[in-house]
């Protein structure tokens, strides 16, 4: 979790965001603070499953952005959030560590099982997508290390702690490490959708609406495209 500005109960927006949206929401937060100097913005970044668990345990949020349609449906079942708005999508990617970029790794090499892989826990949308991809391609995930969110998987690949990982393509594009992407893996067929939802009883509806406008406006959609996301 990190805060932007001076958040308080009186003027602070509590924003819960899926970890794979980190780069985008940092850009949006900067734009929001420029437009509303002195306003508060408290941002909680985690895997969508973790965010839902926190909300179920009583955490409060004014605006939530989740990956995975099932996760947003679960949020809607709380009854305390307005209907969701889809804002973006991205697909799965199979990435390899810097040490293996020049090794011409294929999906068959991964199926053999000699290389160490990493994927998200199944309670995260990226973990569910990894399970679907593995079932379709004959990839055995039993030996994989499991991480709480997709950014943790990416970090392990970047540091060479694992040979490869299943992440979102937007995470691959955001990486500044010399990692590689396995071509023709079929991972691009497995897609996650992102939606936002506003708390019905938020005391900061005007500020939240302004933040939503930044996300859904053409400029916000262009920022998403530049980061590699698809937009509705």
């Amino acid at each position: 979790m990190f805060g932007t500005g001076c958040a308080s109960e009186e003027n602070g927006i509590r924003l819960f965001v899926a970890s794979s949206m980190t780069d985008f929401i940092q850009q949006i937060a900067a734009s929001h603070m420029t437009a509303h100097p002195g306003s508060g913005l408290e941002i909680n970044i985690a895997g969508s499953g973790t965010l839902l668990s926190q909300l179920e345990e009583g955490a409060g949020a004014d605006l939530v952005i989740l990956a995975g349609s099932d996760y947003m449906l679960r949020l809607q079942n709380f009854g305390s959030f307005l209907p969701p708005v889809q804002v973006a999508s991205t697909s799965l990617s199979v990435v390899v560590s810097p040490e293996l970029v020049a090794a011409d790794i294929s999906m068959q090499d991964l199926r053999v099982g000699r290389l160490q892989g990493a994927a998200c826990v199944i309670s995260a949308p990226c973990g569910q997508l990894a399970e679907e991809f593995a079932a379709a391609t004959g990839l055995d995930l039993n030996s994989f290390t499991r991480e709480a969110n997709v950014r943790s998987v990416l970090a392990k690949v970047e540091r060479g702690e694992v040979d490869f990982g299943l992440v979102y393509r937007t995470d691959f594009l955001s990486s500044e490490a010399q990692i590689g992407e396995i071509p023709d893996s079929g991972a691009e067929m497995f897609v996650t959708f992102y939606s936002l939802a506003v708390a019905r009883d938020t005391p900061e509806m005007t500020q939240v609406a302004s933040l939503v406008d930044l996300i859904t406006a053409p400029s916000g959609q262009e920022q998403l495209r530049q980061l590699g996301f698809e937009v509705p």
Side-chain angles (χ1 to χ4, degrees):
M1 179 183 290
F2 66 87
T4 301
C6 182
S8 69
E9 292 184 0
E10 289 76 22
N11 70 347
I13 299 173
R14 299 161 299 178
L15 173 59
F16 280 36
V17 185
S19 61
S20 46
M21 276 273 178
T22 297
D23 296 337
F24 172 67
I25 211 61
Q26 288 175 342
Q27 294 178 10
I28 290 296
S31 298
H32 176 80
M33 296 307 297
T34 298
H36 302 279
S39 63
L41 185 57
E42 182 181 333
I43 306 177
N44 180 18
I45 295 177
S48 293
T50 298
L51 295 176
L52 275 174
S53 295
Q54 292 171 354
L55 291 166
E56 288 172 341
E57 292 167 3
D62 300 295
L63 176 62
V64 176
I65 303 176
L66 298 178
S69 301
D70 291 345
Y71 292 81
M72 183 52 74
L73 179 60
R74 286 172 54 190
L75 181 71
Q76 289 296 301
N77 289 337
F78 292 177
S80 54
F81 286 85
L82 296 171
V85 175
Q86 185 178 315
V87 294
S89 64
T90 189
S91 60
L92 203 64
S93 176
V94 186
V95 296
V96 298
S97 68
E99 291 80 2
L100 293 179
V101 168
D104 194 25
I105 301 296
S106 68
M107 282 299 299
Q108 181 56 35
D109 295 316
L110 306 190
R111 282 189 285 265
V112 170
R114 295 174 184 169
L115 299 175
Q116 179 63 57
C120 295
V121 293
I122 197 167
S123 61
C126 54
Q128 287 191 350
L129 215 60
E131 294 285 339
E132 295 171 13
F133 173 69
T137 58
L139 188 62
D140 186 356
L141 300 185
N142 287 328
S143 64
F144 277 46
T145 65
R146 293 289 189 150
E147 306 302 322
N149 57 65
V150 72
R151 284 304 174 99
S152 296
V153 176
L154 181 67
K156 279 209 160 187
V157 177
E158 289 175 333
R159 294 193 297 262
E161 295 176 10
V162 294
D163 298 309
F164 69 99
L166 304 182
V167 302
Y168 293 133
R169 189 156 202 279
T170 43
D171 295 294
F172 165 66
L173 294 173
S174 74
S175 177
E176 296 182 358
Q178 299 301 309
I179 62 174
E181 183 181 38
I182 294 181
D184 303 320
S185 68
E188 70 280 358
M189 301 299 294
F190 296 82
V191 178
T192 287
F193 294 91
Y194 295 83
S195 300
L196 62 80
V198 176
R200 293 181 184 276
D201 61 353
T202 173
E204 301 296 334
M205 185 60 78
T206 300
Q207 293 277 6
V208 171
S210 177
L211 187 58
V212 170
D213 285 344
L214 281 174
I215 294 169
T216 58
S219 58
Q221 298 288 278
E222 181 58 29
Q223 285 174 288
L224 285 165
R225 289 190 191 93
Q226 290 177 2
L227 292 170
F229 290 94
E230 298 291 331
V231 298

